[in-house]
Amino acid sequence: MLLNRTLYIDADACPVTREALACARRARVPVVIVGNTTQNLERHIRRDDPRDAGHARGCDATHGGFWVDVLDVSIGADSADFAIVERLQPGDVVVTQDIGLASMVLGRGAAAIGIGVRGRVYTKATIDMDLFIRHEEKKVRRAGGRTRGPAAFTDDDRERFTRNLNELLRRDFEPK
């Protein structure tokens, strides 16, 4: 049995918002796009996309159906992250490039899929190492050193992200 779940998109600098919405439409999963007020998050939404559960597309007994909403948060470090975490339910899915947010998501019994790691699904088994690497890179930068930035997002990255997100949205969710 599939859980009712919501897909949250941490939309600050998210290169795959369009792909994530397409996956949610196919899986009939509601979406909340979260970002700061300086962005035009509405641009990602189609005119015919339902905007609330009452008008959801694809409603049935096991799915609430697809609809999409936008949650504007204030400008500030981690505003979107905290807005997502406080709304999460076990079984929800979060698209993010923030490893710290991914860690909080896993701690709440939800799933996280990374953008910065090219569509890899974060797991409890690897999140500590991801956080450690982030911390070490931050130390290097604070000491005046340089770390390699992410490579440009490729078509292969988009395909991998889409494939992994489709799988996350369709499978029974068992937190690991």
Side-chain angles (χ1 to χ4, degrees), residues 53-124:
H55 296 95
R57 203 178 295 140
C59 292
D60 62 30
T62 57
H63 292 84
F66 170 77
W67 53 271
V68 61
D69 194 13
V70 168
L71 178 61
D72 286 318
V73 296
S74 63
I75 299 171
D78 304 323
S79 294
D81 299 356
F82 294 125
I84 291 170
V85 169
E86 72 184 25
R87 289 165 174 79
L88 274 180
Q89 299 295 316
D92 287 344
V93 177
V94 177
V95 174
T96 185
Q97 58 186 334
D98 185 317
I99 296 166
L101 174 57
S103 178
M104 291 187 283
V105 166
L106 293 175
R108 299 284 303 248
I113 183 169
I115 302 163
V117 291
R118 307 302 199 239
R120 183 173 58 99
V121 176
Y122 290 104
T123 68
K124 287 184 177 181

Side-chain angles (χ1 to χ4, degrees), residues 24-85:
R25 282 184 195 100
R26 282 190 297 274
R28 298 178 306 190
V29 172
V31 177
V32 179
I33 304 172
V34 184
N36 71 52
T37 56
T38 63
Q39 300 182 55
N40 175 15
L41 299 175
E42 299 282 337
R43 74 184 184 279
H44 300 291
I45 302 170
R46 294 180 186 167
R47 271 183 209 215
D48 64 335
D49 282 341
R51 299 301 301 268
D52 59 48
H55 296 95
R57 203 178 295 140
C59 292
D60 62 30
T62 57
H63 292 84
F66 170 77
W67 53 271
V68 61
D69 194 13
V70 168
L71 178 61
D72 286 318
V73 296
S74 63
I75 299 171
D78 304 323
S79 294
D81 299 356
F82 294 125
I84 291 170
V85 169

Side-chain angles (χ1 to χ4, degrees), residues 124-141:
K124 287 184 177 181
T126 61
I127 196 68
D128 287 340
M129 183 56 75
D130 294 329
L131 289 167
F132 175 76
I133 292 168
R134 180 185 76 162
H135 175 72
E136 291 299 313
E137 288 177 346
K138 194 173 201 175
K139 284 184 1 186
V140 168
R141 288 190 301 274

